[in-house]
Amino acid sequence: GNCLDDLGRLDEALVFRRAIYAKEVASLGFSHIDTILDGTNLANTLCNLALWEEARTLTGDQLLPAAQQSLGADHDLTLRLNETLALVLFNNPDCTRDDVLEAETILQ
């Protein structure tokens, strides 16, 4: 995954990261720290490919709630997911004023 990202082979990295995340969900469940970490890597790859809506859904609807529940609001990974969600909302070229305000609220 990381090597493919570093080489700019993002489409291949996406396929790899999707497979890893699906395997983690199936074997460990949504709330396991390894699943959340692999999901975060997937979300970052989605962002790098400008797949904003999928990144938003994955981060906001799956990863962040799982991290908050299992790791707590102050855990480093939960805080990183908050930042990722804010960046997804803000960097999407189709973002609305409400998206920008939500991103701002997340980062405060």
Side-chain angles (χ1 to χ4, degrees), residues 3-61:
C3 293
L4 293 171
D5 284 332
D6 292 343
L7 293 170
R9 295 165 54 183
L10 297 176
D11 291 327
E12 292 173 76
L14 180 60
V15 171
F16 177 77
R17 292 200 188 282
R18 283 185 204 269
I20 294 297
Y21 181 66
K23 179 182 170 232
E24 294 289 333
V25 168
S27 62
L28 301 173
F30 283 106
S31 296
H32 192 279
I33 190 167
D34 290 342
T35 305
I36 296 167
L37 184 57
D38 287 328
T40 302
N41 291 334
L42 173 57
N44 290 331
T45 300
L46 291 167
C47 290
N48 290 337
L49 286 165
L51 297 171
W52 304 113
E53 290 306 316
E54 187 175 352
R56 179 182 188 160
T57 300
L58 177 64
T59 305
D61 295 347

Side-chain angles (χ1 to χ4, degrees), residues 2 60 92 99 104:
N2 288 340
N92 183 345
D99 291 335
E104 185 177 279

